Amino acid sequence: MTSDFVDVITTGLDALSPYKSDLRIETDDMSTLMVGAPGPLFDAIRDLFSAAAKRPEHVTMHVTLSRGCPGEPDDPNCRCDTLARAQDQSLAERQTLAAHAVKDAPDMGVGIDVQFSLYVMGAGGHMDEIYGCIDFLKDSGTFLRSKNFCTRLRGDAGAVFETLRQAFLRFGPAEGHVTIDLTASANSPSLG
Amino acid sequence: MTSDFVDVITTGLDALSPYKSDLRIETDDMSTLMVGAPGPLFDAIRDLFSAAAKRPEHVTMHVTLSRGCPGEPDDPNCRCDTLARAQDQSLAERQTLAAHAVKDAPDMGVGIDVQFSLYVMGAGGHMDEIYGCIDFLKDSGTFLRSKNFCTRLRGDAGAVFETLRQAFLRFGPAEGHVTIDLTASANSPSLG
């Protein structure tokens, strides 16, 4: 939200440099595609937005995350131990692991707001998983409030993006198609 | 993408005035919620973005659309004849009706780009519907290309938002939970 927007976008994309060996990264005129495992992927998204949010301007970022999409040829590059192990862990175990991961998240030194929706495609009957995920979110320390069709988080960028990674990986069917649609915001003048 | 962003947002929100009797509209610090039937809803989104895109600045808009979400109390306000009738129409009939609707869309006088993903929650086995929707999109006159996990459209705002409305309403299970995640862009300097 500045006439100097090209410089802000460049600042953000520069923060992706350490991840170029782990992720396939392609930028076009509308967005940047990143393909890889959830470890470097969420770290890269967090670092990109933190770099932009540390500047004074009001900035927002929109992200669509997808795992387990049928027919995608990149699956072998996206393997993730957390997801593989989730199949043998109870809901309570996964909630505890998720909460610890958020507590251990690095302090990025920049406060952000996020709103997001998590979608579980395919066979229904996963309401226990959804409610279990919501319980985790409410106790995560980053939960702000529920809104129509989405959840608001607020906190340091480290804790907020770790909360998103845990919600994305530890809940819902391990082999299913799960997506997250999120908007991040920082330095909004509406917050006074 | 301008330091004068408050004025651009106000221009966009002013374009919603004609729809205030048909839609419930609530703006907070991150986004605007609009609840109502798909007729006024898509018209309002189109008019909002067209008003912003007619200015010279590079502008983008992110929208999450949801229909049939279980447990939402607003269902009675969101009833839609197109959706109700879809249950008795063949895929070919719906493709024809969708194509005609895009041809009849008003000319808004402003070119835009959109990329979007359509998600069908709940029971699987709707691949015929998805492929039927893709065939409609490819023949819509607004199709630009497929990307990872999304579809690019380009054209006048009238035809582009009509394409989105038809994809949202005429394909997938009429009683199911369907969402669209879309980003619209105009006046990008990347397009040269």
Side-chain angles (χ1 to χ4, degrees):
Chain A
M1 259 56 73
T2 166
S3 303
D4 194 23
F5 66 94
V6 173
D7 201 39
V8 178
I9 293 171
T10 308
T11 298
L13 292 177
D14 283 348
L16 298 181
S17 299
Y19 302 101
K20 283 194 173 155
S21 55
D22 289 321
L23 301 173
R24 181 155 66 86
I25 301 177
E26 298 169 8
T27 298
D28 69 15
D29 60 293
M30 279 198 76
S31 59
T32 295
L33 170 72
M34 299 201 280
V35 178
L41 187 68
F42 275 85
D43 288 354
I45 294 170
R46 175 198 66 202
D47 289 1
L48 185 160
F49 191 66
S50 297
K54 279 178 180 169
R55 300 174 52 124
E57 300 95 344
H58 175 29
V59 288
T60 65
M61 173 180 70
H62 181 75
V63 184
T64 300
L65 295 157
S66 179
R67 70 165 167 90
C69 184
E72 282 297 326
D74 294 305
D75 268 4
N77 301 327
C78 303
R79 279 267 153 245
C80 163
D81 287 345
T82 301
L83 204 48
R85 278 196 298 261
Q87 295 178 86
D88 303 318
Q89 292 164 336
S90 71
L91 184 54
E93 274 180 285
R94 287 178 281 130
Q95 287 173 324
T96 302
L97 290 164
H100 284 165
V102 176
K103 281 203 184 67
D104 291 345
D107 183 354
M108 302 300 291
V110 57
I112 67 169
D113 278 78
V114 158
Q115 68 184 21
F116 79 104
S117 307
L118 188 149
Y119 300 120
V120 179
M121 255 63 69
H126 297 289
M127 290 314 287
D128 283 355
E129 291 289 322
I130 299 283
Y131 290 126
C133 182
I134 291 170
D135 285 343
F136 153 66
L137 291 171
K138 288 189 172 166
D139 292 338
S140 66
T142 62
F143 182 83
L144 184 66
R145 66 173 185 274
S146 295
K147 292 176 61 174
N148 287 53
F149 312 118
C150 63
T151 299
R152 276 288 296 266
L153 305 179
R154 177 174 288 172
D156 183 82
V160 167
F161 282 104
E162 194 57 52
T163 303
L164 291 165
R165 172 159 40 201
Q166 297 300 317
F168 189 56
L169 293 180
R170 295 210 194 260
F171 302 92
E175 297 297 314
H177 184 200
V178 176
T179 67
I180 279 183
D181 170 18
L182 79 88
T183 301
S185 175
N187 310 326
S188 168
S190 299
L191 295 178
Chain B
M1 258 57 71
T2 166
S3 302
D4 194 23
F5 66 94
V6 174
D7 202 39
V8 178
I9 294 171
T10 307
T11 299
L13 292 177
D14 282 350
L16 298 181
S17 299
Y19 302 101
K20 285 195 171 153
S21 55
D22 288 321
L23 301 173
R24 181 156 66 87
I25 302 177
E26 298 168 9
T27 297
D28 69 14
D29 60 294
M30 279 199 75
S31 59
T32 295
L33 170 73
M34 300 201 280
V35 178
L41 187 68
F42 275 86
D43 288 355
I45 294 169
R46 175 198 67 204
D47 289 2
L48 185 161
F49 191 66
S50 297
K54 280 179 180 168
R55 299 175 52 126
E57 300 95 345
H58 176 29
V59 288
T60 65
M61 172 179 71
H62 181 75
V63 183
T64 300
L65 294 157
S66 179
R67 69 166 168 88
C69 184
E72 282 297 325
D74 294 306
D75 268 5
N77 301 327
C78 304
R79 280 268 153 243
C80 162
D81 288 344
T82 301
L83 203 49
R85 279 195 299 261
Q87 296 178 86
D88 303 318
Q89 293 164 336
S90 71
L91 184 54
E93 273 180 287
R94 288 178 280 131
Q95 286 173 324
T96 302
L97 290 164
H100 284 165
V102 175
K103 281 203 184 67
D104 292 345
D107 184 353
M108 301 301 290
V110 58
I112 67 168
D113 278 79
V114 159
Q115 68 185 22
F116 79 104
S117 307
L118 189 149
Y119 301 120
V120 179
M121 255 63 69
H126 296 291
M127 290 314 288
D128 283 356
E129 291 289 323
I130 300 284
Y131 290 127
C133 182
I134 291 171
D135 285 343
F136 153 66
L137 291 171
K138 288 191 170 165
D139 293 338
S140 67
T142 62
F143 182 82
L144 183 66
R145 68 173 183 274
S146 295
K147 291 176 60 174
N148 288 53
F149 313 117
C150 63
T151 299
R152 277 288 295 266
L153 306 178
R154 176 175 289 173
D156 183 83
V160 167
F161 282 105
E162 194 59 50
T163 303
L164 291 165
R165 172 159 42 200
Q166 297 300 317
F168 189 57
L169 293 179
R170 294 207 194 263
F171 302 92
E175 298 298 315
H177 184 201
V178 176
T179 67
I180 280 183
D181 170 18
L182 78 89
T183 301
S185 174
N187 309 326
S188 168
S190 299
L191 295 178

